[in-house]
Amino acid sequence: MDKKNNEFLKRLLATFAIEAEERINKIYSGLMNLEKNASPEKEMEEIEIIFREAHSLKGASRAVNLSDIEKICQSMESIFAALKSSKIVLSAGLIKLLFGSVDLIQKLLSKSTIEKSTEYDLLTTELILQLEKGAKGEIITSPASDINENKPLSLEKGPLSSNTVRIPTTKLDSLLLQAEELIPSTLSFKQSAVDLKNIFEDIISFERQFSKLPIKTLNGNLKNQTQNNNRDVSILLQEKETVKLKDFAQQSNEFIKSIGNKLNTLIKRAEQEQYALRGRVTNLLEGIKNSLMMPFSSIVEQYPNIIRKMAIENGKEIELVIQGEMIEVDRRILEEMKDPLLHLIRNCIDHGIEKPEERKLKKKYSKGKITLSITHKEGNKFEILISDDGAGVSLDSVKSAALKLGVITPEEINKMEEKEVLSLIFRSGISTSSIITDISGRGLGLAIVRDTVEKLNGIISIETKQNEGTTFRIILPLKLANFLGVLVRSNEYLFIFPSSGIERVMRLNEKLIITIENKEAIQVEGQTISLVRLKDVMELPQVIPKQIEKEMHSVIVNIDEKRIAFLVDEILDEQEVLIKNFNKPLLRVKNILGATILGNGELVPVINLQDLIKSSLQIKNDIAPVKTAISSPAQEETIRKSILLAEDSITARALLKNILEGAGYNVKTAVDGIDAFTQLRENNYDIVVSDVEMPRMNGFDLTVKIRSEEKLSDLPVILVTALNSREDREKGIDAGANAYIVKSSFDQSNLLEVIKRFI
């Protein structure tokens, strides 16, 4: 009985988690609207909505024995009851307290009964006291309202990551009807199996009759009678056996016609059923996909509160405008895009929107604006626009970062148009941030966003105007669906090109290939298109062809206004493709989107066209590396990079020194800022890694001193510290640090990655 009760409680808690998430999001949304100083009528409307949601959440919490949440909701009800009766007046402090209350509820929801600590018990008690004071109109002094101001809300748990999902009964009814329509097909195929079995038994019977024919006996008798010179008997036996053979031949002819007719009937029935079954399966799949469609609001309703916290953390004022959030999108696409969209919004906050005082100097409204717009497009696609009215992206900063990373040469970047330069920010490692922190500045986020969009068969682009803002444009399919693909052969390997990115396929005679500046190309309708051999891009092993193929084929791909013709040996077919993504460790394979299975069971890779375009451009520009002599151990020692480590803690100093030396660096240590600055004047170092809180001279002052010395002004400085507030990070930026890493979230791979970037 206890086991059954535990299982029931688990199911009940899972259901409650979904309901609670929905109600919390509505409360957050209402509080955000109250914070905007709406009209009295609108204010009372929002108060009524929040009041009802808090009341419902209280009842649901009581049902699952979550008394802490129940008590908080009850105290919140008291405040909204007082607001409704005009016993108290809404204030900024009261709104802040209510935000903190909902934050604490979410913290309590994310903790199991065992994990709840005395800290949360105290916070709950203190918060309820302040809510009761607020309901009486007394002054609020509790720090509980700031419970999460420095810790942005985690999105790891939410309605999309749940194991359950709500589906309208109308959609389920439709799926049931479509599933029932498959029953006649199963009966038909069952009957076909019976008919095929009968045909098989007829053939077995025919073989048995054939084996009984006296063909061998006839030949033996004729031979014996010929030897005995009994001609008359021989002729008589021959006539009898001939009659039997004629009868059997006639029966065989009729049997073969009968088998042919039966097989023809089966073939026609199978073709009809295959056509009907394909339609039914397609409808059923479409119905299931429709059941997985969820409004965009299921993820964006959490954004206002998250953005509010990000804005507070960055010392900025930001208004979020969401448009088209009721458009329904495949739940799986929403799951994949949840984190990338948040990263783009964070990018707008961190790098786009200026601080209030800076905006005022630019004669802008002090509160920045971020717009998230979702619109339906033709052809089963939708568009996401994320725009801000901030400073815009500096093209010079992008160029500088790209050149510093070595992904492009000065000659190439000078030939680039603005759009091409902007697209560089999607390259891994490129960042325009002046400082690296734990959450930004590494140049990885936008690269991950691009990879996710392309994995979903989408396209991302960016537009910007100085001091007017930046817009990210993403086009994605509404549903994850099968697609058409072109099956090609290169050497002995098969590949699938997604048809959506193919402009055309064409036969190509070797004589039509021209050479321009030592690069192959073809001319199509008067336009010159670069030609790349697929086997070279895919790095296939070179094989000697069995015969010289005079006629070749090309697949012309057009992605984001880039046109390249890929030379293949053979174009085999265009067919429907059900793509299967890779599992660990092959989560990201260069040039390959996934794989599909052909009708004959063969596994064939599906090409990632965006990757293929990039790879082909790199192949054409690749220069063979210059071989150098192997260095001796002594020479290697002289070229190892040197690091000065400033840290007053003996334990921390030993740990960091061990990590850095293990990575191959020469490490010298200093016990504080003065010691470090003295060593910098006496010796040369490639980089400084410093703590902030040190005696005599702290890390901020050390950084300022380094920047003030002409000889040391360009020396990279990384601050590794326990100070994680916004003010401290800003001090690091103002002092001139290149990176700011917080010890509480310290990961040695992050430190080594940042060091490698600067030296």
Side-chain angles (χ1 to χ4, degrees), residues 263-293:
L263 287 174
N264 189 46
T265 301
L266 277 174
I267 289 169
K268 287 182 178 178
R269 187 197 302 171
E271 288 175 344
Q272 292 171 354
E273 280 304 316
Q274 188 270 340
Y275 180 78
L277 183 61
R278 181 176 179 179
R280 290 168 189 154
V281 170
T282 299
N283 290 337
L284 181 59
L285 283 172
E286 195 66 22
I288 292 172
K289 288 170 186 172
N290 286 335
S291 71
L292 291 173
M293 300 285 278

PDB file of all heavy atoms in Angstrom, residues 263-293:
ATOM      1  N   LEU A 263      -0.680 -13.256 -58.828  1.00  0.00           N
ATOM      2  CA  LEU A 263       0.395 -12.315 -58.484  1.00  0.00           C
ATOM      3  C   LEU A 263       0.072 -10.904 -58.964  1.00  0.00           C
ATOM      4  O   LEU A 263       0.342  -9.922 -58.272  1.00  0.00           O
ATOM      5  CB  LEU A 263       1.727 -12.788 -59.075  1.00  0.00           C
ATOM      6  CG  LEU A 263       2.367 -13.998 -58.393  1.00  0.00           C
ATOM      7  CD1 LEU A 263       3.594 -14.451 -59.163  1.00  0.00           C
ATOM      8  CD2 LEU A 263       2.764 -13.666 -56.955  1.00  0.00           C
ATOM      9  N   ASN A 264      -0.500 -10.797 -60.155  1.00  0.00           N
ATOM     10  CA  ASN A 264      -0.869  -9.491 -60.695  1.00  0.00           C
ATOM     11  C   ASN A 264      -1.914  -8.817 -59.806  1.00  0.00           C
ATOM     12  O   ASN A 264      -1.850  -7.613 -59.544  1.00  0.00           O
ATOM     13  CB  ASN A 264      -1.395  -9.651 -62.122  1.00  0.00           C
ATOM     14  CG  ASN A 264      -1.578  -8.315 -62.809  1.00  0.00           C
ATOM     15  OD1 ASN A 264      -0.706  -7.446 -62.761  1.00  0.00           O
ATOM     16  ND2 ASN A 264      -2.723  -8.129 -63.452  1.00  0.00           N
ATOM     17  N   THR A 265      -2.885  -9.635 -59.351  1.00  0.00           N
ATOM     18  CA  THR A 265      -3.904  -9.102 -58.441  1.00  0.00           C
ATOM     19  C   THR A 265      -3.270  -8.622 -57.136  1.00  0.00           C
ATOM     20  O   THR A 265      -3.594  -7.551 -56.617  1.00  0.00           O
ATOM     21  CB  THR A 265      -4.959 -10.178 -58.136  1.00  0.00           C
ATOM     22  OG1 THR A 265      -5.570 -10.596 -59.355  1.00  0.00           O
ATOM     23  CG2 THR A 265      -6.022  -9.650 -57.179  1.00  0.00           C
ATOM     24  N   LEU A 266      -2.332  -9.439 -56.614  1.00  0.00           N
ATOM     25  CA  LEU A 266      -1.639  -9.051 -55.384  1.00  0.00           C
ATOM     26  C   LEU A 266      -0.814  -7.789 -55.563  1.00  0.00           C
ATOM     27  O   LEU A 266      -0.761  -6.925 -54.691  1.00  0.00           O
ATOM     28  CB  LEU A 266      -0.741 -10.198 -54.915  1.00  0.00           C
ATOM     29  CG  LEU A 266      -1.413 -11.309 -54.099  1.00  0.00           C
ATOM     30  CD1 LEU A 266      -0.427 -12.431 -53.842  1.00  0.00           C
ATOM     31  CD2 LEU A 266      -1.950 -10.771 -52.789  1.00  0.00           C
ATOM     32  N   ILE A 267      -0.153  -7.675 -56.708  1.00  0.00           N
ATOM     33  CA  ILE A 267       0.668  -6.487 -56.987  1.00  0.00           C
ATOM     34  C   ILE A 267      -0.199  -5.234 -57.010  1.00  0.00           C
ATOM     35  O   ILE A 267       0.139  -4.207 -56.410  1.00  0.00           O
ATOM     36  CB  ILE A 267       1.427  -6.655 -58.319  1.00  0.00           C
ATOM     37  CG1 ILE A 267       2.537  -7.707 -58.164  1.00  0.00           C
ATOM     38  CG2 ILE A 267       2.036  -5.325 -58.767  1.00  0.00           C
ATOM     39  CD1 ILE A 267       3.157  -8.133 -59.473  1.00  0.00           C
ATOM     40  N   LYS A 268      -1.348  -5.328 -57.707  1.00  0.00           N
ATOM     41  CA  LYS A 268      -2.248  -4.167 -57.789  1.00  0.00           C
ATOM     42  C   LYS A 268      -2.788  -3.805 -56.405  1.00  0.00           C
ATOM     43  O   LYS A 268      -2.866  -2.638 -56.030  1.00  0.00           O
ATOM     44  CB  LYS A 268      -3.402  -4.470 -58.735  1.00  0.00           C
ATOM     45  CG  LYS A 268      -3.000  -4.488 -60.201  1.00  0.00           C
ATOM     46  CD  LYS A 268      -4.199  -4.738 -61.102  1.00  0.00           C
ATOM     47  CE  LYS A 268      -3.783  -4.711 -62.580  1.00  0.00           C
ATOM     48  NZ  LYS A 268      -4.934  -4.990 -63.487  1.00  0.00           N
ATOM     49  N   ARG A 269      -3.172  -4.864 -55.652  1.00  0.00           N
ATOM     50  CA  ARG A 269      -3.691  -4.604 -54.308  1.00  0.00           C
ATOM     51  C   ARG A 269      -2.609  -3.984 -53.428  1.00  0.00           C
ATOM     52  O   ARG A 269      -2.856  -3.050 -52.659  1.00  0.00           O
ATOM     53  CB  ARG A 269      -4.190  -5.901 -53.682  1.00  0.00           C
ATOM     54  CG  ARG A 269      -4.903  -5.656 -52.327  1.00  0.00           C
ATOM     55  CD  ARG A 269      -5.017  -6.925 -51.517  1.00  0.00           C
ATOM     56  NE  ARG A 269      -5.719  -7.960 -52.234  1.00  0.00           N
ATOM     57  CZ  ARG A 269      -5.792  -9.213 -51.812  1.00  0.00           C
ATOM     58  NH1 ARG A 269      -5.160  -9.574 -50.699  1.00  0.00           N
ATOM     59  NH2 ARG A 269      -6.443 -10.136 -52.509  1.00  0.00           N
ATOM     60  N   ALA A 270      -1.363  -4.517 -53.519  1.00  0.00           N
ATOM     61  CA  ALA A 270      -0.256  -3.982 -52.716  1.00  0.00           C
ATOM     62  C   ALA A 270       0.033  -2.535 -53.077  1.00  0.00           C
ATOM     63  O   ALA A 270       0.298  -1.704 -52.199  1.00  0.00           O
ATOM     64  CB  ALA A 270       0.993  -4.841 -52.921  1.00  0.00           C
ATOM     65  N   GLU A 271      -0.015  -2.206 -54.385  1.00  0.00           N
ATOM     66  CA  GLU A 271       0.230  -0.826 -54.820  1.00  0.00           C
ATOM     67  C   GLU A 271      -0.840   0.107 -54.272  1.00  0.00           C
ATOM     68  O   GLU A 271      -0.548   1.210 -53.799  1.00  0.00           O
ATOM     69  CB  GLU A 271       0.275  -0.761 -56.350  1.00  0.00           C
ATOM     70  CG  GLU A 271       1.537  -1.383 -56.953  1.00  0.00           C
ATOM     71  CD  GLU A 271       1.492  -1.405 -58.467  1.00  0.00           C
ATOM     72  OE1 GLU A 271       0.382  -1.235 -59.029  1.00  0.00           O
ATOM     73  OE2 GLU A 271       2.555  -1.606 -59.088  1.00  0.00           O
ATOM     74  N   GLN A 272      -2.107  -0.360 -54.353  1.00  0.00           N
ATOM     75  CA  GLN A 272      -3.204   0.464 -53.836  1.00  0.00           C
ATOM     76  C   GLN A 272      -3.082   0.653 -52.324  1.00  0.00           C
ATOM     77  O   GLN A 272      -3.249   1.757 -51.800  1.00  0.00           O
ATOM     78  CB  GLN A 272      -4.550  -0.175 -54.189  1.00  0.00           C
ATOM     79  CG  GLN A 272      -4.877  -0.155 -55.678  1.00  0.00           C
ATOM     80  CD  GLN A 272      -6.100  -0.982 -56.016  1.00  0.00           C
ATOM     81  OE1 GLN A 272      -6.652  -1.678 -55.164  1.00  0.00           O
ATOM     82  NE2 GLN A 272      -6.534  -0.911 -57.265  1.00  0.00           N
ATOM     83  N   GLU A 273      -2.786  -0.463 -51.632  1.00  0.00           N
ATOM     84  CA  GLU A 273      -2.667  -0.381 -50.185  1.00  0.00           C
ATOM     85  C   GLU A 273      -1.447   0.442 -49.767  1.00  0.00           C
ATOM     86  O   GLU A 273      -1.491   1.168 -48.776  1.00  0.00           O
ATOM     87  CB  GLU A 273      -2.570  -1.788 -49.589  1.00  0.00           C
ATOM     88  CG  GLU A 273      -3.898  -2.490 -49.453  1.00  0.00           C
ATOM     89  CD  GLU A 273      -4.897  -1.680 -48.640  1.00  0.00           C
ATOM     90  OE1 GLU A 273      -4.517  -1.140 -47.584  1.00  0.00           O
ATOM     91  OE2 GLU A 273      -6.059  -1.560 -49.062  1.00  0.00           O
ATOM     92  N   GLN A 274      -0.361   0.303 -50.534  1.00  0.00           N
ATOM     93  CA  GLN A 274       0.829   1.090 -50.219  1.00  0.00           C
ATOM     94  C   GLN A 274       0.526   2.572 -50.345  1.00  0.00           C
ATOM     95  O   GLN A 274       0.926   3.377 -49.500  1.00  0.00           O
ATOM     96  CB  GLN A 274       1.978   0.686 -51.151  1.00  0.00           C
ATOM     97  CG  GLN A 274       3.326   1.306 -50.797  1.00  0.00           C
ATOM     98  CD  GLN A 274       3.585   2.634 -51.483  1.00  0.00           C
ATOM     99  OE1 GLN A 274       2.953   2.942 -52.487  1.00  0.00           O
ATOM    100  NE2 GLN A 274       4.484   3.417 -50.930  1.00  0.00           N
ATOM    101  N   TYR A 275      -0.194   2.929 -51.402  1.00  0.00           N
ATOM    102  CA  TYR A 275      -0.557   4.330 -51.613  1.00  0.00           C
ATOM    103  C   TYR A 275      -1.478   4.813 -50.490  1.00  0.00           C
ATOM    104  O   TYR A 275      -1.286   5.891 -49.915  1.00  0.00           O
ATOM    105  CB  TYR A 275      -1.241   4.483 -52.977  1.00  0.00           C
ATOM    106  CG  TYR A 275      -1.660   5.890 -53.299  1.00  0.00           C
ATOM    107  CD1 TYR A 275      -0.740   6.836 -53.736  1.00  0.00           C
ATOM    108  CD2 TYR A 275      -2.990   6.282 -53.155  1.00  0.00           C
ATOM    109  CE1 TYR A 275      -1.126   8.137 -54.025  1.00  0.00           C
ATOM    110  CE2 TYR A 275      -3.388   7.577 -53.439  1.00  0.00           C
ATOM    111  CZ  TYR A 275      -2.446   8.504 -53.876  1.00  0.00           C
ATOM    112  OH  TYR A 275      -2.847   9.788 -54.150  1.00  0.00           O
ATOM    113  N   ALA A 276      -2.506   3.958 -50.175  1.00  0.00           N
ATOM    114  CA  ALA A 276      -3.446   4.342 -49.122  1.00  0.00           C
ATOM    115  C   ALA A 276      -2.756   4.399 -47.758  1.00  0.00           C
ATOM    116  O   ALA A 276      -2.988   5.319 -46.965  1.00  0.00           O
ATOM    117  CB  ALA A 276      -4.613   3.353 -49.089  1.00  0.00           C
ATOM    118  N   LEU A 277      -1.905   3.390 -47.491  1.00  0.00           N
ATOM    119  CA  LEU A 277      -1.215   3.343 -46.208  1.00  0.00           C
ATOM    120  C   LEU A 277      -0.279   4.525 -46.046  1.00  0.00           C
ATOM    121  O   LEU A 277      -0.189   5.115 -44.965  1.00  0.00           O
ATOM    122  CB  LEU A 277      -0.429   2.037 -46.091  1.00  0.00           C
ATOM    123  CG  LEU A 277       0.292   1.809 -44.757  1.00  0.00           C
ATOM    124  CD1 LEU A 277      -0.703   1.757 -43.612  1.00  0.00           C
ATOM    125  CD2 LEU A 277       1.121   0.530 -44.802  1.00  0.00           C
ATOM    126  N   ARG A 278       0.396   4.884 -47.132  1.00  0.00           N
ATOM    127  CA  ARG A 278       1.301   6.039 -47.060  1.00  0.00           C
ATOM    128  C   ARG A 278       0.523   7.294 -46.691  1.00  0.00           C
ATOM    129  O   ARG A 278       0.961   8.089 -45.864  1.00  0.00           O
ATOM    130  CB  ARG A 278       2.006   6.227 -48.400  1.00  0.00           C
ATOM    131  CG  ARG A 278       2.989   7.390 -48.396  1.00  0.00           C
ATOM    132  CD  ARG A 278       3.738   7.477 -49.709  1.00  0.00           C
ATOM    133  NE  ARG A 278       4.660   8.597 -49.702  1.00  0.00           N
ATOM    134  CZ  ARG A 278       5.470   8.906 -50.708  1.00  0.00           C
ATOM    135  NH1 ARG A 278       5.484   8.152 -51.790  1.00  0.00           N
ATOM    136  NH2 ARG A 278       6.281   9.937 -50.633  1.00  0.00           N
ATOM    137  N   GLY A 279      -0.661   7.458 -47.297  1.00  0.00           N
ATOM    138  CA  GLY A 279      -1.487   8.624 -46.978  1.00  0.00           C
ATOM    139  C   GLY A 279      -1.949   8.608 -45.532  1.00  0.00           C
ATOM    140  O   GLY A 279      -1.921   9.636 -44.846  1.00  0.00           O
ATOM    141  N   ARG A 280      -2.347   7.417 -45.052  1.00  0.00           N
ATOM    142  CA  ARG A 280      -2.815   7.314 -43.670  1.00  0.00           C
ATOM    143  C   ARG A 280      -1.690   7.558 -42.675  1.00  0.00           C
ATOM    144  O   ARG A 280      -1.870   8.247 -41.667  1.00  0.00           O
ATOM    145  CB  ARG A 280      -3.437   5.931 -43.438  1.00  0.00           C
ATOM    146  CG  ARG A 280      -4.764   5.749 -44.159  1.00  0.00           C
ATOM    147  CD  ARG A 280      -5.206   4.305 -44.150  1.00  0.00           C
ATOM    148  NE  ARG A 280      -6.372   4.113 -45.015  1.00  0.00           N
ATOM    149  CZ  ARG A 280      -6.691   2.975 -45.598  1.00  0.00           C
ATOM    150  NH1 ARG A 280      -5.913   1.912 -45.432  1.00  0.00           N
ATOM    151  NH2 ARG A 280      -7.772   2.883 -46.357  1.00  0.00           N
ATOM    152  N   VAL A 281      -0.516   6.979 -42.963  1.00  0.00           N
ATOM    153  CA  VAL A 281       0.631   7.186 -42.076  1.00  0.00           C
ATOM    154  C   VAL A 281       1.045   8.663 -42.074  1.00  0.00           C
ATOM    155  O   VAL A 281       1.359   9.234 -41.025  1.00  0.00           O
ATOM    156  CB  VAL A 281       1.818   6.294 -42.495  1.00  0.00           C
ATOM    157  CG1 VAL A 281       3.080   6.681 -41.736  1.00  0.00           C
ATOM    158  CG2 VAL A 281       1.500   4.828 -42.246  1.00  0.00           C
ATOM    159  N   THR A 282       1.011   9.275 -43.262  1.00  0.00           N
ATOM    160  CA  THR A 282       1.348  10.705 -43.360  1.00  0.00           C
ATOM    161  C   THR A 282       0.385  11.537 -42.527  1.00  0.00           C
ATOM    162  O   THR A 282       0.800  12.445 -41.793  1.00  0.00           O
ATOM    163  CB  THR A 282       1.307  11.163 -44.828  1.00  0.00           C
ATOM    164  OG1 THR A 282       2.274  10.423 -45.578  1.00  0.00           O
ATOM    165  CG2 THR A 282       1.626  12.655 -44.927  1.00  0.00           C
ATOM    166  N   ASN A 283      -0.916  11.228 -42.642  1.00  0.00           N
ATOM    167  CA  ASN A 283      -1.917  11.966 -41.859  1.00  0.00           C
ATOM    168  C   ASN A 283      -1.724  11.748 -40.366  1.00  0.00           C
ATOM    169  O   ASN A 283      -1.865  12.675 -39.565  1.00  0.00           O
ATOM    170  CB  ASN A 283      -3.322  11.537 -42.276  1.00  0.00           C
ATOM    171  CG  ASN A 283      -3.686  12.013 -43.667  1.00  0.00           C
ATOM    172  OD1 ASN A 283      -3.118  12.986 -44.162  1.00  0.00           O
ATOM    173  ND2 ASN A 283      -4.615  11.333 -44.310  1.00  0.00           N
ATOM    174  N   LEU A 284      -1.405  10.486 -40.001  1.00  0.00           N
ATOM    175  CA  LEU A 284      -1.196  10.192 -38.587  1.00  0.00           C
ATOM    176  C   LEU A 284       0.027  10.930 -38.051  1.00  0.00           C
ATOM    177  O   LEU A 284      -0.008  11.514 -36.964  1.00  0.00           O
ATOM    178  CB  LEU A 284      -1.031   8.681 -38.389  1.00  0.00           C
ATOM    179  CG  LEU A 284      -0.830   8.209 -36.939  1.00  0.00           C
ATOM    180  CD1 LEU A 284      -2.004   8.619 -36.071  1.00  0.00           C
ATOM    181  CD2 LEU A 284      -0.630   6.702 -36.889  1.00  0.00           C
ATOM    182  N   LEU A 285       1.116  10.913 -38.826  1.00  0.00           N
ATOM    183  CA  LEU A 285       2.316  11.647 -38.416  1.00  0.00           C
ATOM    184  C   LEU A 285       2.029  13.134 -38.287  1.00  0.00           C
ATOM    185  O   LEU A 285       2.484  13.802 -37.355  1.00  0.00           O
ATOM    186  CB  LEU A 285       3.445  11.412 -39.430  1.00  0.00           C
ATOM    187  CG  LEU A 285       4.163  10.066 -39.349  1.00  0.00           C
ATOM    188  CD1 LEU A 285       5.110   9.910 -40.527  1.00  0.00           C
ATOM    189  CD2 LEU A 285       4.929   9.929 -38.049  1.00  0.00           C
ATOM    190  N   GLU A 286       1.265  13.648 -39.252  1.00  0.00           N
ATOM    191  CA  GLU A 286       0.919  15.070 -39.213  1.00  0.00           C
ATOM    192  C   GLU A 286       0.083  15.374 -37.975  1.00  0.00           C
ATOM    193  O   GLU A 286       0.262  16.404 -37.317  1.00  0.00           O
ATOM    194  CB  GLU A 286       0.143  15.443 -40.483  1.00  0.00           C
ATOM    195  CG  GLU A 286       0.038  16.935 -40.736  1.00  0.00           C
ATOM    196  CD  GLU A 286       1.382  17.576 -41.025  1.00  0.00           C
ATOM    197  OE1 GLU A 286       2.321  16.873 -41.439  1.00  0.00           O
ATOM    198  OE2 GLU A 286       1.484  18.800 -40.817  1.00  0.00           O
ATOM    199  N   GLY A 287      -0.830  14.434 -37.653  1.00  0.00           N
ATOM    200  CA  GLY A 287      -1.650  14.623 -36.459  1.00  0.00           C
ATOM    201  C   GLY A 287      -0.824  14.607 -35.187  1.00  0.00           C
ATOM    202  O   GLY A 287      -1.042  15.411 -34.272  1.00  0.00           O
ATOM    203  N   ILE A 288       0.139  13.687 -35.123  1.00  0.00           N
ATOM    204  CA  ILE A 288       1.016  13.614 -33.945  1.00  0.00           C
ATOM    205  C   ILE A 288       1.858  14.878 -33.839  1.00  0.00           C
ATOM    206  O   ILE A 288       2.050  15.428 -32.755  1.00  0.00           O
ATOM    207  CB  ILE A 288       1.905  12.361 -34.021  1.00  0.00           C
ATOM    208  CG1 ILE A 288       1.048  11.098 -33.877  1.00  0.00           C
ATOM    209  CG2 ILE A 288       2.979  12.385 -32.936  1.00  0.00           C
ATOM    210  CD1 ILE A 288       1.796   9.812 -34.115  1.00  0.00           C
ATOM    211  N   LYS A 289       2.355  15.337 -34.994  1.00  0.00           N
ATOM    212  CA  LYS A 289       3.144  16.582 -34.983  1.00  0.00           C
ATOM    213  C   LYS A 289       2.291  17.761 -34.525  1.00  0.00           C
ATOM    214  O   LYS A 289       2.753  18.622 -33.774  1.00  0.00           O
ATOM    215  CB  LYS A 289       3.722  16.846 -36.371  1.00  0.00           C
ATOM    216  CG  LYS A 289       4.848  15.888 -36.748  1.00  0.00           C
ATOM    217  CD  LYS A 289       5.213  16.026 -38.209  1.00  0.00           C
ATOM    218  CE  LYS A 289       6.228  14.967 -38.623  1.00  0.00           C
ATOM    219  NZ  LYS A 289       6.468  14.958 -40.073  1.00  0.00           N
ATOM    220  N   ASN A 290       1.028  17.774 -34.964  1.00  0.00           N
ATOM    221  CA  ASN A 290       0.130  18.851 -34.537  1.00  0.00           C
ATOM    222  C   ASN A 290      -0.117  18.792 -33.034  1.00  0.00           C
ATOM    223  O   ASN A 290      -0.262  19.831 -32.376  1.00  0.00           O
ATOM    224  CB  ASN A 290      -1.200  18.769 -35.293  1.00  0.00           C
ATOM    225  CG  ASN A 290      -1.063  19.217 -36.732  1.00  0.00           C
ATOM    226  OD1 ASN A 290      -0.176  19.995 -37.072  1.00  0.00           O
ATOM    227  ND2 ASN A 290      -1.921  18.721 -37.604  1.00  0.00           N
ATOM    228  N   SER A 291      -0.168  17.563 -32.507  1.00  0.00           N
ATOM    229  CA  SER A 291      -0.387  17.427 -31.064  1.00  0.00           C
ATOM    230  C   SER A 291       0.813  17.935 -30.274  1.00  0.00           C
ATOM    231  O   SER A 291       0.694  18.269 -29.096  1.00  0.00           O
ATOM    232  CB  SER A 291      -0.674  15.970 -30.705  1.00  0.00           C
ATOM    233  OG  SER A 291       0.487  15.178 -30.833  1.00  0.00           O
ATOM    234  N   LEU A 292       1.991  17.954 -30.913  1.00  0.00           N
ATOM    235  CA  LEU A 292       3.207  18.444 -30.265  1.00  0.00           C
ATOM    236  C   LEU A 292       3.404  19.950 -30.457  1.00  0.00           C
ATOM    237  O   LEU A 292       4.377  20.510 -29.976  1.00  0.00           O
ATOM    238  CB  LEU A 292       4.435  17.705 -30.811  1.00  0.00           C
ATOM    239  CG  LEU A 292       4.559  16.230 -30.423  1.00  0.00           C
ATOM    240  CD1 LEU A 292       5.713  15.589 -31.164  1.00  0.00           C
ATOM    241  CD2 LEU A 292       4.748  16.069 -28.929  1.00  0.00           C
ATOM    242  N   MET A 293       2.476  20.572 -31.178  1.00  0.00           N
ATOM    243  CA  MET A 293       2.579  22.018 -31.393  1.00  0.00           C
ATOM    244  C   MET A 293       2.177  22.750 -30.115  1.00  0.00           C
ATOM    245  O   MET A 293       1.158  22.439 -29.488  1.00  0.00           O
ATOM    246  CB  MET A 293       1.677  22.446 -32.544  1.00  0.00           C
ATOM    247  CG  MET A 293       2.002  21.797 -33.872  1.00  0.00           C
ATOM    248  SD  MET A 293       3.471  22.465 -34.649  1.00  0.00           S
ATOM    249  CE  MET A 293       2.789  23.923 -35.429  1.00  0.00           C
TER     250      MET A 293
END
